[in-house]
């Protein structure tokens, strides 16, 4: 299976804002910039997170052929959503980093919850190749799951992987 994973365009939000599951806007200029920079195979099935920063790009790439799937959404940070990272108490962030798999930042999802839903998406995927427009966290999980390690280890690997996936970046798995 070959997966073409594209991270969404940069959202139109203040720098340093926690916006995991929040449906934040993107500008037309940023959408056009990312779209013009992608060279992708044609006629692949296309799946997208339902969050508009992904869904708008997916629809531009494959008009009328996009399947939205909530299992591809970014992690929900609960009470942390739409707060500047520096405003989140250091003790709360430290509690999360001390237990990446099970701690629920902001009282919402934990990394293991997200890994379970991403794994369920992969298990349902029947196409030999697909284009997926989603989020950096989801891409890291897809990459970790692609390695064939047990779910908890894949989730921990993804959570510990430094975030280096740029806005609009293409990551190909399985070539």
């Amino acid at each position: 299976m070959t997966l073409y994973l594209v991270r969404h365009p940069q959202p139109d939000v203040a720098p340093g804002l926690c916006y995991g599951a929040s449906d934040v806007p993107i500008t037309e200029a940023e959408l056009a910039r990312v779209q013009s920079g992608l060279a992708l195979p044609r006629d692949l099935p296309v799946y997208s997170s339902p969050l508009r920063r992904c869904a708008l790009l997916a629809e531009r790439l494959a008009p009328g052929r996009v399947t939205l799937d909530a299992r591809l959404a970014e992690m929900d940070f609960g009470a942390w959503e739409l707060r500047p990272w520096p405003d989140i108490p250091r003790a709360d962030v430290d509690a999360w980093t001390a237990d990446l798999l099970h701690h629920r930042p902001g009282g919402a999802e934990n990394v293991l919850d997200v890994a379970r839903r991403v794994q369920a998406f992969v298990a349902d995927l029947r196409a030999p190749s697909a284009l997926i427009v989603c989020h950096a966290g989801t891409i890291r999980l897809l990459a970790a799951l692609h390695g064939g390690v047990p779910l908890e280890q894949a989730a921990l690997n993804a959570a510990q992987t430094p975030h280096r996936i740029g806005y609009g970046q293409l990551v190909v798995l399985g070539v």
Side-chain angles (χ1 to χ4, degrees):
M1 177 182 302
T2 302
L3 300 179
Y4 297 86
L5 311 173
V6 177
R7 185 178 180 204
H8 60 78
Q10 183 171 356
D12 189 19
V13 298
L17 196 69
C18 176
Y19 59 84
S22 296
D23 205 8
V24 295
I26 56 174
T27 65
E28 176 60 34
E30 178 64 3
L31 186 60
R33 181 195 69 77
V34 169
Q35 180 186 8
S36 70
L38 290 171
L40 299 164
R42 296 182 181 266
D43 300 322
L44 292 175
V46 180
Y47 300 90
S48 176
S49 161
L51 297 176
R52 82 177 110 168
R53 60 191 185 263
C54 296
L56 290 173
L57 176 61
E59 190 59 33
R60 285 278 186 94
L61 296 172
R65 298 188 305 110
V66 177
T67 301
L68 300 179
D69 195 312
R71 296 174 295 183
L72 295 170
E74 184 60 278
M75 185 166 162
D76 184 346
F77 288 97
W80 292 8
E81 291 283 332
L82 301 179
R83 291 179 62 190
W85 282 101
D87 290 356
I88 298 168
R90 184 75 216 169
D92 293 352
V93 174
D94 289 345
W96 180 32
T97 58
D99 186 6
L100 288 171
L101 285 183
H102 303 103
H103 186 78
R104 298 180 179 281
E109 287 185 297
N110 62 39
V111 171
L112 196 53
D113 292 335
V114 181
R116 284 186 184 111
R117 63 177 162 79
V118 171
Q119 182 184 50
F121 168 82
V122 171
D124 289 345
L125 194 56
R126 300 289 176 238
S129 296
L131 169 62
I132 301 170
V133 181
C134 56
H135 311 271
T138 309
I139 292 171
R140 290 195 320 264
L141 280 164
L142 286 163
L145 289 165
H146 193 73
V149 297
L151 178 67
E152 287 195 8
Q153 186 61 53
L156 191 57
N157 290 350
Q160 292 175 334
T161 299
H163 175 22
R164 293 190 176 106
I165 303 166
Y167 293 111
Q169 183 177 336
L170 171 65
V171 174
V172 182
L173 298 178
V175 174

